[in-house]
Amino acid sequence: MRNLKAFLLATCLCISGISYAQFEFDVDGCETLIADAELEPSKTIYSECGFDDVQTAFVHWAPLAEQQRWKNAMYEIYSRHPNYPGIKTFIYKAAEFGHPEALVYVGDELFDQGKISEAMRYYNRAVRGNLSEATQGRITGRLGALYANPESSYFDYKKAIPLLRKAALQRDALSNNIMGVYTLLGQNGVRRDPQEAFKYFWRAALLGCKAAEENLGFFMLGHQRQISSDMVTQEVSDRLYSCDELLTTHNNLPIKHFTFSPKECANINYYAERLVDTALPFVGKEECSFSADMNEMADFLTK
């Protein structure tokens, strides 16, 4: 069976314009290394053992990885050749074998198809693995937003709030925006705290949430008493369950037309240093003359 799969893969490579003889890679002694990499993954070993080479990856390693249930090997083949015909079978196999990132991939596909209960099973398996904080936050935030949205059949704010709080600390932009609105308005069991809401909005804005930038603008207009609290409530409520910018208001008010106080600049610098790549542009960077040393001004944020 293994030889048949290898033959079929080799045939597929030839049809794709890649001849079998075009690639020759010495994999002697690699099998033990790849098996060991299931316990301690090593990008170097996969490259040294020919995973970057299409012929070696698909004809030699793919059948062996499937036979041995090597989840990391399956995922490495997928990640190195994402546009290869039929490659999705590899990431689904990696998920079946328990690879965390592959589980997230399949979970995302099911979630986008509206198969929420199935997606949650994959997500729950994934979070038990070794995921990055950003990936953990995205999954947690996605579930939190699902529970938070009253239009969702899964609406349950008691489940939503702890997930959103956790995801906000894990750098999920939308979760920070949602918690900013809840905290500003005192909704869904969250205590009203404008200062805390301000922090949530800034974190979301610095993480790239355009709706949070607009919410922050209305927050400041309300703080400066240029608009009523009812107007603030209306505007931020419209910018709640998505990070997409609206660029329109109910009252033709300017968005983000405000100045930054020293404390607000300290806030920007405090979060920018911790939450974003400081080499990239972000809201307030030029206005506040960003410097990593300015975090010393932000003691008020940690009290």
Side-chain angles (χ1 to χ4, degrees), residues 14-262:
C14 290
I15 292 173
S16 301
I18 303 172
S19 67
Y20 188 92
Q22 187 176 347
F23 294 100
E24 293 182 1
F25 207 97
D26 184 6
V27 294
D28 288 345
C30 275
E31 188 168 328
T32 300
L33 296 176
I34 299 303
D36 290 343
E38 289 299 302
L39 301 176
E40 295 185 17
S42 168
K43 300 291 183 183
T44 302
I45 287 176
Y46 292 118
S47 295
E48 290 174 352
C49 288
F51 277 64
D52 294 327
D53 173 66
V54 176
Q55 177 73 36
T56 307
F58 286 92
V59 175
H60 181 82
W61 288 119
L64 186 60
E66 183 174 356
Q67 178 185 345
Q68 300 294 335
R69 299 182 65 85
W70 286 341
K71 60 182 182 296
N72 292 339
M74 276 290 186
Y75 187 79
E76 289 298 325
I77 294 172
Y78 165 80
S79 65
R80 284 158 162 51
H81 310 283
N83 298 318
Y84 190 80
I87 192 64
K88 275 194 175 182
T89 59
F90 288 80
I91 198 166
Y92 272 88
K93 276 291 181 183
E96 177 189 328
F97 298 160
H99 191 283
E101 295 287 351
L103 287 164
V104 171
Y105 179 96
V106 178
D108 285 345
E109 281 208 335
L110 292 168
F111 194 101
D112 291 338
Q113 294 167 11
K115 300 175 181 177
I116 307 302
S117 59
E118 294 178 47
M120 289 173 69
R121 286 199 293 271
Y122 279 90
Y123 285 153
N124 287 333
R125 286 182 63 196
V127 296
R128 294 196 292 268
N130 186 25
L131 293 173
S132 68
E133 184 179 59
T135 302
Q136 289 263 15
R138 186 175 63 78
I139 294 173
T140 305
R142 195 169 203 188
L143 293 175
L146 178 72
Y147 286 126
N149 194 335
E151 297 182 1
S152 166
S153 59
Y154 290 83
F155 175 65
D156 185 339
Y157 74 84
K158 290 183 179 179
K159 289 184 179 179
I161 300 306
L163 290 172
L164 291 170
R165 282 190 171 129
K166 180 179 180 182
L169 295 176
Q170 292 173 320
R171 307 185 182 187
D172 181 62
L174 181 58
S175 297
N176 275 288
N177 186 57
I178 294 173
M179 286 304 301
V181 175
Y182 286 175
T183 307
L184 178 62
L185 304 181
Q187 292 181 337
N188 291 336
V190 179
R191 182 175 63 87
R192 185 177 182 277
D193 186 338
Q195 184 177 6
E196 192 68 17
F198 179 81
K199 299 177 191 179
Y200 278 124
F201 285 141
W202 265 127
R203 278 191 290 191
L206 292 172
L207 289 165
C209 183
K210 295 298 183 181
E213 291 187 34
E214 295 183 354
N215 282 339
L216 191 57
F218 291 112
F219 177 98
M220 294 302 299
L221 289 169
H223 182 70
Q224 296 167 0
R225 297 185 178 177
Q226 296 182 39
I227 60 176
S228 69
S229 59
D230 287 344
M231 201 174 295
V232 173
T233 298
Q234 179 64 63
E235 296 296 346
V236 301
S237 295
D238 286 349
R239 296 165 170 81
L240 178 53
Y241 299 115
S242 170
C243 274
D244 296 338
E245 57 188 342
L246 295 184
L247 297 177
T248 58
T249 74
H250 295 287
N251 301 281
N252 298 316
L253 293 167
I255 298 175
K256 296 181 288 185
H257 288 188
F258 54 89
T259 57
F260 301 99
S261 72

